[in-house]
Amino acid sequence: MSAFEELRGERRAIVSGIGQSQVGRRIYRDPLDLTVDAALEAIADAGLDPSDIDGIATYPGNMEIPPGFSGVGVTELQDALRLELNWFAGGMELPGQLGAVVNAVLAVSAGLCDHVLCFRTVWEASAQGDQGRASVTMGGGGGAYRASSFMQWTLPFGAASAANWIGMMAQRHFHEYGTTREQLAQIALNARANAALNPKAIYRDPMTMDDYLSVRMISTPLCLYDCDAPADGSTAVVISRVEHAAALDHPAARVEAMGTALRGRPSWDQFDDLTTMALRDASAMLWERSDLTPADVDVAELYDGFSFITLCWLEALGFCAQGEGGAFIEGGGAIARDGLLPLNTHGGQLSAGRLHGFGFLHEACVQLWGRGDERQVVRPGGRDPEVAVVGAGGGPLGGCLLLTKGR
Amino acid sequence: MSDKPFRVLPRLTDANEPFWLGGAEGELRFWRCQDCGYRLHPPGPICPRCRTKHLAVEAVSGKGTVFTYTINHQPWIPTFDPPYVVAIVELAEQDDLRLTTNIVGCDPDEVTIGMPVRVTFEHYDDNGYEVWLPLFEPDVAGGAA
Ligand SMILES: [Zn+2]
């Protein structure tokens, strides 16, 4: 057994508490104000006082551009709560948004700190105002703005948005495997059906296949309902040492395995197989680090910044074979709350709002801890969910966590 | 897109100038490893295959096929009016030599994966800041130079 297989250091860490601020469209609240709400709720949920927090990890750190994409970094939160930290990290060159959680798990497992507050705050809905996403994508630049880094290869061609880049991946998947819009629609329809049971979801009205097929196109084959809903909100979790589980008044979420690999070219248009994404490699690594298998998973919370990304996660994580994602989700039965694999049980980012990765982790804990109320998943035979997989990110960045319910 | 839309232009560097300026002479150019023959895109300082720095700029034929595409319907950029086709074109010279571009010279609905295309350059001059963007059009002759 290699050291890689033997150490599995992530098992020294748990998710001990979760918190989430008010979530909505254009609620025009200061992002730091939202962040402290989520943070204090998560700290209390973990049975802790702010003075117990000795680490902070966040994605993507404080950024001015694009507006609303961030706005709160490590230092703002540390100062707002006057936390005394032994360790901290904020940034975005990570295996997806959950890379911040990966960092926290590593820091706790290494003994650098005991309790890490991890958060992700977005206020894109307010920042975009009435101008829509285009105002954000352009980075506020006009006139003599010149594109550099990756954007130089796409922006001159009007490929300004991930909708275009993901649209091209989806088109290739449709071409190679015969995937259809009616199949892809099930990601959006399933999300909306689940959102109806989530009081914090942004879009809760029923959505039909006709609604989906008749809404306007954004970038073929992706229509408006394939794109997530910009939102304002903050989500926080506390990562603690596994010994802390005994002190909780609720189950812990144990970190069974993490997937963080990047093996293909880190690019939206240069990745070797454009019907997959970097999450393919992160997913493979996840199962290399666990004795559990896809058949053990009770709930799957998989990133849907665009519906097609979720389809990629389903294939990559082995819930179906490569190329068979369309058939797997066809009709929606397999991914429904009472189906083979309950998926995005809070409504995902498509209907519950673009909380950017952390919403999925929050929901996985809600389900593992039996807090789902109306939307609580009950597995066949009346069993409570015990294993959850969370995947976040798309295109060149992705990371995933396998969580188990445990004391 | 008969009239040229406003386009955000790339920031030129020593490494990317051969790509963005080659159109002045009608050539689509890439850095190529002089040891193993591998063509790099985007440009880099080293061949990722044999990891030597023996690189030189060479032109390709400008012919390729549509690897995948999307018809964009959303107005992202003022005066760059949808619908327009964004595509990833795979060039004839090398399986993984791909670039993001636009397909022009045909109706968006006529674009298909696998369609033969050839490069056509669109010249931009922003107060003396010049760039030649490589766009692609249907290669109806299917092989004629
Ligand atoms: Zn070489």
Side-chain angles (χ1 to χ4, degrees):
Chain A
M1 185 174 277
S2 69
F4 181 79
E5 292 166 323
E6 191 178 354
L7 283 176
R8 293 183 180 176
E10 61 266 53
R11 296 181 187 186
R12 297 177 192 159
I14 57 170
V15 184
S16 57
I18 59 175
Q20 193 169 72
S21 72
Q22 178 190 2
V23 172
R25 297 275 292 169
R26 297 171 196 163
I27 55 182
Y28 297 108
R29 284 181 56 192
D30 182 273
L32 182 57
D33 183 35
L34 295 171
T35 305
V36 297
D37 283 0
L40 293 175
E41 186 175 301
I43 292 167
D45 190 35
L48 300 170
D49 182 84
S51 62
D52 297 317
I53 298 296
D54 59 355
I56 290 180
T58 189
Y59 174 102
N62 198 348
M63 298 166 63
E64 297 287 322
I65 295 173
F69 185 68
S70 174
V72 178
V74 169
T75 55
E76 287 84 4
L77 185 59
Q78 189 263 0
D79 193 51
L81 300 178
R82 296 295 199 278
L83 301 176
E84 296 181 21
L85 305 180
N86 289 321
W87 174 87
F88 59 92
M92 66 184 304
E93 289 197 315
L94 295 169
Q97 299 83 4
L98 294 174
V101 178
V102 169
N103 280 348
V105 167
L106 294 176
V108 164
S109 299
L112 287 174
C113 44
D114 291 329
H115 303 287
V116 181
L117 184 59
C118 294
F119 72 96
R120 173 79 180 102
T121 303
V122 288
W123 52 294
E124 290 174 302
S126 289
Q128 290 170 15
D130 297 329
Q131 297 173 60
R133 282 190 173 185
S135 61
V136 170
T137 306
M138 291 293 291
Y145 169 74
R146 309 289 183 215
S148 56
S149 301
F150 171 70
M151 290 303 283
Q152 73 172 295
W153 308 112
T154 65
L155 204 45
F157 306 102
S161 164
N164 303 129
W165 314 331
I166 301 274
M168 289 193 285
M169 294 178 177
Q171 192 81 278
R172 184 75 200 181
H173 197 281
F174 281 30
H175 172 78
E176 286 194 29
Y177 301 116
T179 315
T180 66
R181 287 195 66 217
E182 286 79 1
Q183 292 172 336
L184 191 59
Q186 295 299 338
I187 302 292
L189 298 182
N190 176 70
R192 184 60 63 89
N194 287 334
L197 303 177
N198 176 6
K200 291 180 85 170
I202 288 178
Y203 296 122
R204 303 182 64 198
D205 295 337
M207 182 192 292
T208 66
M209 180 65 84
D210 281 348
D211 294 335
Y212 175 92
L213 292 174
S214 59
V215 77
R216 67 190 173 91
M217 273 289 166
I218 299 296
S219 194
T220 61
L222 306 179
C223 65
L224 181 65
Y225 294 149
D226 291 308
C227 310
D228 63 1
D232 299 346
S234 180
T235 308
V237 302
V238 175
I239 302 296
S240 301
R241 293 164 62 116
V242 68
E243 292 79 8
H244 184 61
L248 299 176
D249 65 1
H250 57 82
R254 291 179 178 267
V255 182
E256 163 72 14
M258 306 197 292
T260 55
L262 176 63
R263 294 166 186 165
R265 293 189 71 184
S267 159
W268 291 92
D269 61 355
Q270 301 295 334
F271 196 71
D272 50 285
D273 181 351
L274 285 177
T275 68
T276 68
M277 306 181 187
L279 55 87
R280 171 194 67 191
D281 302 329
S283 298
M285 178 177 167
L286 185 82
W287 297 120
E288 289 162 12
R289 297 182 67 79
S290 176
D291 298 325
L292 298 177
T293 70
D296 295 312
V297 172
D298 293 313
V299 288
E301 311 294 350
L302 303 175
Y303 193 81
D304 60 357
F306 296 92
S307 56
F308 179 70
I309 300 177
T310 312
L311 187 150
C312 284
W313 273 112
L314 289 169
E315 293 183 356
L317 284 166
F319 295 114
C320 57
Q322 169 67 24
E324 292 179 8
F328 181 73
I329 62 179
E330 186 161 347
I335 56 174
R337 286 181 330 103
D338 58 356
L340 182 69
L341 183 73
L343 175 71
N344 295 353
T345 46
H346 59 315
Q349 295 183 178
L350 293 173
S351 283
R354 177 180 160 82
L355 297 173
H356 216 206
F358 274 53
F360 298 96
L361 175 57
H362 186 277
E363 177 66 10
C365 293
V366 163
Q367 292 293 339
L368 290 176
W369 299 349
R371 297 178 179 178
D373 296 326
E374 260 198 293
R375 69 178 190 276
Q376 179 64 45
V377 166
V378 179
R379 299 296 281 154
R383 197 170 54 77
D384 293 330
E386 291 173 7
V387 179
V389 69
V390 186
L397 297 173
C400 45
L401 306 172
L402 189 61
L403 303 175
T404 61
K405 178 181 180 177
R407 288 280 165 191
Chain B
M1 284 194 295
S2 51
D3 293 329
K4 289 193 294 187
F6 168 80
R7 292 179 187 262
V8 175
L9 301 180
R11 179 173 302 287
L12 296 176
T13 66
D14 288 347
N16 71 17
E17 272 193 11
F19 182 85
W20 292 118
L21 303 185
E25 288 155 64
E27 287 190 349
L28 182 60
R29 296 168 176 169
F30 296 91
W31 290 93
R32 188 178 192 194
C33 177
Q34 299 301 294
D35 291 334
C36 75
Y38 186 72
R39 293 179 173 86
L40 281 65
H41 188 69
I46 189 167
C47 172
R49 288 261 166 107
C50 63
R51 297 180 176 122
T52 61
K53 293 188 173 181
H54 191 195
L55 307 175
V57 173
E58 293 185 17
V60 296
S61 65
K63 291 175 175 293
T65 53
V66 173
F67 185 77
T68 188
Y69 71 97
T70 184
I71 304 173
N72 177 67
H73 291 272
Q74 180 79 3
W76 304 108
I77 300 169
T79 83
F80 202 147
D81 296 329
Y84 55 86
V85 179
V86 176
I88 296 174
V89 164
E90 189 164 73
L91 294 162
E93 280 77 5
Q94 180 174 304
D95 277 350
D96 68 349
L97 189 63
R98 299 181 202 148
L99 54 85
T100 297
T101 184
N102 298 123
I103 305 299
V104 297
C106 66
D107 192 84
D109 291 330
E110 292 170 16
V111 176
T112 57
I113 289 177
M115 184 171 106
V117 290
R118 67 183 173 208
V119 72
T120 176
F121 292 97
E122 198 162 273
H123 178 216
Y124 278 78
D125 184 342
D126 181 12
N127 295 313
Y129 186 89
E130 290 187 281
V131 169
W132 285 259
L133 298 178
L135 312 182
F136 284 76
E137 58 189 6
D139 187 13
V140 285

